[in-house]
Every structure is written in structure tokens, then in C-alpha cells.
Amino acid sequence: MQRLLRALTAIVVALLFCCTSQAYAQSTMKALVVYDAPSSSGYAKLGMAYAIMLRNLLGHFDGTVDMIPVQNYTAGQVQNYSVMFYLGSHYDNPLPASFLQDAATTGKTVVWFRYNIWQLAWDPEYNFAARFGLDFTGLRGMNATPTSDNPSPGFFDTVLYKNREFVKYYAYDSDSGRINADPDVGVMQVVDTGKAASLSNVRNSVTNEQIPYLVRAGNFWYFADLPFSYIGPRDRYLVIADQLHDILNSGQQESHQAMVRLEDVDATVSVDNMKVLTDYLYRKNIPFSVAAIPYYTDPLGVYNGGIPVSIPLSQASDLKTSLNYALDKGGEVVQHGYTHQYASMRNPWTAVSADDFEFWDVVHNSPVPEDSTAWAAQRIKAGLNDLLANGYKPVAWEAPHYQMSPLSTKAVPPIYGKTYQRAVYYTSDAPDFTESQGKDFAAGQFFPYEIKQDYYGQNILPENLGNIEYDISAIDPSSTVVYTWQDIYTNAQFALAVRDGFASFFFHPFWLDPDLKLPAYKDFQSLVTGITNLGYKWTSPSRLP
């Protein structure tokens, strides 16, 4: 059996962002996203990273989105927009008086996230409690300082929404004594129910105390935290994704679709495995897609006894047989990179197609030396031309391991009207970015619904559930991650909290290889059946607008 080493980065990059446009009614949304960017902080660009993530979600809705640092806000600017979001990511960042005055008095929708609300709520000039019926009492964080004896003392980590418990990510590093989490929440209480209401609570999992998580007072909304840090498929990130429909008054009704993609299909694919999966989906009348890698290469001969090998699509008989069989039974092709690896460099594992990154140097966490929009466009077009020359018309693009540089990502929209993926976003390519403003941030993001236009101009069809993984360390010591079909099914249950949320996952056909002796086919069937029984309607990239 060939190639057991397959990267799990497609999940890992986008499940955790660890850093501490359905149509809007009458298509009139014009949003202003205001964020903290303190020039004296090494985290100057963190607020921008969060702003990009919010901007991407707003790309689900028809309209336009502008982003500015809060210090650039000018008096009356909100009046040019239908909604203004403020992302309070930097504690006690000074806010301009013009911004505070407009936030307090405008008739436009204002959405405030976590920090610095006290500059508005505690200044008598703005008459906050009388105006909104709300009282901000302060911040809450960890119940106690974590120690090796008490690594999880607790915090307000469980957001209660639509009869589900969305638990925030938490991990304690005993070696450093640090936590990977974002525990701070703002405590906003409703003091006048005639003016304000709590729409969702957050619970402290140790003390069971509850406080409001999301409150609304007319046109003013307040989220107790920043739901863009440490995001995951069962996280309160889904709450903001759903609540944007109410904030923007979209009128969206419940409608849930599902998609499945057969992943990393290249010249070494098992035709038997592909036929088994294709036949099952065909019998179930489920449309599906195949992520095809046009050009297979093993430049170091890792899987060929040290002898380099390359197989262009024209010579990839097993790949073409698999694609033809899938196309005859309801499948469609997605272009998954060109070679899905980079040169002869182990990037980071083998330099073999489907194992490694193609448009990002993950070893040095930087763009590759040739990185440019023109270079990326050449590779994308080379793969597209190979597919077309062999009779395959791909319906969408998928980046290898879901990661490309800013410049290479910008090559995609002129070539492909649809992408089908998660994505990574960077602050380093902002027009005003300089090293003196602090380090760059990269934000990995998945989407529970279609994004009509993201920060880089891409139309993104969602993959939001992940993929089945098995521990096969007895064969491949590096393959120890387990992600069960039940895990993905649970993710699909949580995705129902988003009124138009998808259940979209992918599956590697190599898991069906007989020598692995895994219950992969049974698990695949169980997952498809489970998602179907949740009420999702199956679709595919070409069937989406």
C-alpha cells in the first residue's frame, strides 16, 4: 500500500485560531468594521485579524464591508453605513470621543464585542443605562490561576444557544504554566426589560453561574467576548454566524444542505476504493465531488525505492478511470492544487503529492521563494489545462491543505468563480502594514455557509465538519490522530444552530485499503446516513449558485 502519511493540517489550521456576503433584506447592507490597532503594542495587528474574520462572515450577505482602525474613525462616519461593528480586542485601548458619541446616539445598528465598553457605559456623558436599559459591571476571567495541581479552575466557557452548549476551547500547558484560551468576558446586565433583553447566556462550567452572553437594546447589541478566537465546529463562533442574520435582518429561513468530497485523489489512487465509495453515493442518490490532483510527483523517490517518479494526468490511468467512473455516477471534479507539493523540498514531510504544501513554506512559516500572484496563477492554470485536455471540467478550486500565501490566494478568483475549502488569512499584506506595527497574524477560518466574497475576493463553498481520521501508528508512527465519524456527526448537529448551516465533510479513499483493516467504509456509511437523518439535503458545488 502506498502513502499512509497524509497531513491533518486541513482540519488543524482552521479549527483553532489561537491569538491572545443568504441576502440581506433588499441587498442594502453596508457594514463598517472598526477594530483596535494600538501602535505601541506588538499585537497591533491582532484586531485586524479578527476584523478580517468578521468581514469574511459578512461576505455571506449581499452588500459591502469596510474595515478601519478605531483611531481612524471620524465623527458621523457611522451614518454612511447600515451597521457598525466594534471589535474590542485590546484591553483599555483608548477610543475616540467621536466614536463613543456616535455609538451612543446613532440610530444605525451598532454591535460591540467585549473590551472597552466601560468607556461608553461608565461615562455619565453618554447616559448609557438610561438610554439602553443595560448596566456593565466589569470583566470576569479565570476562576483562579491554573496550576499543575488545578489545571482547569474554570471560567465562563459554555455559551447556551438554541438548546445547545457551545464550549470554548481551553488547554493548559504544564511546562510553561500558560493557558491556550480566551477566558475574559464582559458582564452586561439587563436593568430595564422594557428596553433590553438577554438573547443568550454563558455559564461558568465550575461554579454553574450564568451571565448574559448576548444582549440587545434596540439597535445596540453586545457580545460578552470575541467569538473569533480559538474557533471550532462546536464553538460560540457558530452563534455569531447565526446571529448575523438577525443583526442584518436577512429574513433567512431554516435551510440546511450537506456536501461530501473524496479527497486527495491522484495517480496512485485505488480504483477499487473509488468504485466502492462512488457506487454507495450513487445508490443513495447523493451528488459528490472528487478533489483531483492533476500531476503526481515523488521527486525524492520516497515511495518508489529512492527512484524519483512523476506521473502527468495523461499517463495516470487509475486516476482517469476513477474520475470517469465518478462522473458517470453523479460526481464532479474539484481541482486540488497542481502537484499538491513544493519542488523537491520536504514541505514538511516527503515532497510527495498530497502529502505536502504547495503554495506555502510550512517549514519556515513563510511564502515560498517564487511566491507571486503570477507564479501561483501559472501553476493553477497548468493544472486546469491538464484537466481540460483530458476531458475534465473542474467546478471549483481547493487549496492544498487549505493554505496559500496572500499573493497566491489572489491568483484564484480570476481563474475560478468558486472555491471549496477553508482558508488562511494574513494581516501582513494590509496596505498600511509595517514591521514596527508588530507581528503579522494568520487566521485560519472555516465557514458554516457559503461566502460570496471573502477578504481575498474568493467565493467559498464550505467544508465545516472535518474528516475521519484513524490511529495507524503501528504502520505509520506519525499517524496518531483519531477523529471518528461520531465526532463529525456531532459537528453536524451543532451546525444546525446556524439557520442555513451546512454539513460538509471530506473523506480519503485510501482508508478503505484492505491492509489497514479499518472499519472505514462502514464509518463512511454511518456518517452519510446520520447527516441525512438530521434533515440535511445533499448538494454539490455545481448545484450551488
Side-chain angles (χ1 to χ4, degrees), residues 169-245:
Y169 181 82
Y170 177 87
Y172 173 71
D173 185 337
S174 58
D175 293 333
S176 66
R178 296 178 179 177
I179 62 170
N180 291 312
D182 190 6
D184 282 2
V185 292
V187 184
M188 186 74 75
Q189 302 290 349
V190 175
V191 294
D192 185 344
T193 57
K195 294 181 178 180
S198 175
L199 305 181
S200 171
N201 282 351
V202 58
R203 185 179 68 222
N204 189 306
S205 59
V206 172
T207 66
N208 286 321
E209 180 184 0
Q210 294 188 27
I211 60 173
Y213 177 72
L214 170 60
V215 297
R216 179 183 183 183
N219 66 307
F220 184 84
W221 304 65
Y222 179 76
F223 283 83
D225 76 350
L226 270 168
F228 301 104
S229 62
Y230 297 91
I231 67 172
R234 307 171 199 170
D235 178 65
R236 84 286 192 213
Y237 170 71
L238 297 184
V239 176
I240 177 61
D242 184 59
Q243 276 296 307
L244 283 175
H245 283 291

Side-chain angles (χ1 to χ4, degrees), residues 145-157:
T145 301
T147 65
S148 55
D149 293 331
N150 184 22
S152 302
F155 63 101
F156 286 91
D157 63 351

Side-chain angles (χ1 to χ4, degrees), residues 59 74 102 121 136 143 149 174-175 180 213 227 235 272 290 306 323 355 359 378 386 406 438 530:
T74 58
D102 285 355
F136 180 76
N143 295 340
D149 293 331
S174 58
D175 293 333
N180 291 312
Y213 177 72
D235 178 65
D272 290 341
V290 179
L323 293 180
D355 284 356
F359 296 94
Q378 181 273 327
D386 280 358

Side-chain angles (χ1 to χ4, degrees), residues 68 74 87 91 146 174 196 199 320 376 433 472-473 481 485 514 521 541:
I68 60 166
T74 58
L87 295 160
Y91 177 82
S174 58
L199 305 181
K320 292 198 289 185
F433 180 81
I472 54 170
S473 55
V481 173
W485 78 264
Y521 182 47

Side-chain angles (χ1 to χ4, degrees), residues 117-136:
I117 185 65
W118 49 87
Q119 297 179 44
L120 182 67
W122 292 349
D123 189 329
E125 178 180 348
Y126 303 116
N127 205 19
F128 184 80
R131 186 186 302 272
F132 295 112
L134 297 170
D135 179 33
F136 180 76

Side-chain angles (χ1 to χ4, degrees), residues 265 269 271 274-275 278-279 282 288 290 292 313-314 316-333 387-393:
V265 178
V269 69
V271 174
M274 284 293 293
K275 286 185 175 181
T278 296
D279 285 341
Y282 179 71
F288 64 98
V290 179
L313 182 55
S314 60
S317 57
D318 286 352
L319 174 56
K320 292 198 289 185
T321 297
S322 298
L323 293 180
N324 292 338
Y325 195 81
L327 289 172
D328 285 343
K329 297 200 172 185
E332 49 197 48
V333 174
L387 288 165
L388 293 173
N390 285 274
Y392 307 109
K393 185 177 181 180

Side-chain angles (χ1 to χ4, degrees), residues 7 56 60 62 79 218 223 227 241 261 321 327 341 481 513 528:
N56 288 334
H60 178 55
D62 288 337
Q79 298 306 118
F223 283 83
R261 186 178 69 227
T321 297
L327 289 172
Q341 55 81 241
V481 173
D513 287 358
V528 169

Side-chain angles (χ1 to χ4, degrees), residues 378-534:
Q378 181 273 327
R379 293 191 68 84
I380 296 169
K381 289 178 180 178
L384 172 59
N385 290 337
D386 280 358
L387 288 165
L388 293 173
N390 285 274
Y392 307 109
K393 185 177 181 180
V395 298
W397 164 262
E398 179 197 351
H401 295 317
Y402 293 155
Q403 189 156 7
M404 303 176 73
S405 73
L407 290 176
S408 59
T409 302
K410 291 171 184 176
V412 176
I415 301 171
Y416 274 102
K418 293 180 181 180
T419 69
Y420 179 10
Q421 58 186 4
R422 306 180 183 201
V424 180
Y425 301 88
Y426 308 84
T427 59
S428 61
D429 65 326
D432 60 345
F433 180 81
T434 63
E435 290 300 325
S436 64
Q437 293 174 297
K439 62 182 179 181
D440 180 28
F441 285 92
Q445 192 170 10
F446 73 92
F447 303 103
Y449 38 46
E450 180 179 357
I451 304 302
K452 297 177 182 178
Q453 186 180 75
D454 76 343
Y455 179 63
Y456 292 124
Q458 300 177 111
N459 172 214
I460 299 186
L461 309 182
E463 182 281 292
N464 60 320
L465 302 185
N467 64 298
I468 297 173
E469 294 288 348
Y470 299 94
D471 181 352
I472 54 170
S473 55
I475 303 172
D476 177 1
S478 68
S479 297
T480 60
V481 173
V482 174
Y483 209 63
T484 69
W485 78 264
Q486 292 94 337
D487 289 327
I488 299 175
Y489 174 73
T490 301
N491 294 347
Q493 291 177 303
F494 274 79
L496 290 170
V498 181
R499 65 200 69 182
D500 55 347
F502 274 66
S504 179
F505 75 100
F506 63 92
F507 184 83
H508 288 104
F510 63 75
W511 288 128
L512 270 60
D513 287 358
D515 53 346
L516 290 178
K517 299 181 173 60
L518 295 170
Y521 182 47
K522 180 181 178 181
D523 290 349
F524 180 80
Q525 292 174 294
S526 296
L527 180 55
V528 169
T529 299
I531 290 174
T532 302
N533 290 342
L534 287 174

